[in-house]
Amino acid sequence: QVQLVESGGGSVQAGGSLSLSCTSSEYTSASNCMAWFRQVPGKARDRVASIYMRDGRAAYGDFVQGRFTISQDFAKRTVYLTMNSLKPEDTAMYYCAAGPFLRSVDYCPTRFHAYEYWGQGTQVTVSS
């Protein structure tokens, strides 16, 4: 059973930066994509960014607009999300997730239901 442990998050003023990290207990073919999702109450869980652990290919949600960077340390089984130029609308619970790389389409899943493993979530609050 893959376990994900998140750290980081917190509160920051608009325009500020925060970093999140997520460490996986193991690397498997069912968890070779790692991603960050976010969710606000009453809304769907949206993918923020994803990364293919084997080669570091990254992808982002449209709303990121170059402000966030996902990166990895493969040896440590850890992914990082560096968030710059934060906006109040970035306020959400952020979740780390792990799931399988989709070989049929050659990218990591974008939808939350494709990810089997989840972290406990960490709150990010951006004040105006």
Side-chain angles (χ1 to χ4, degrees), residues 69-117:
T69 302
I70 189 170
S71 59
Q72 63 160 338
D73 185 327
F74 185 82
K76 295 182 178 179
R77 300 185 306 278
T78 298
V79 293
Y80 307 93
L81 184 68
T82 301
M83 301 183 290
N84 298 316
S85 302
L86 283 161
K87 306 174 182 179
E89 51 264 43
D90 294 317
T91 295
M93 185 70 79
Y94 283 68
Y95 295 91
C96 178
F101 183 73
L102 302 178
R103 297 194 179 280
S104 60
V105 293
D106 200 33
Y107 57 69
C108 290
T110 60
R111 299 187 178 184
F112 73 90
H113 59 75
Y115 289 83
E116 181 174 356
Y117 306 104

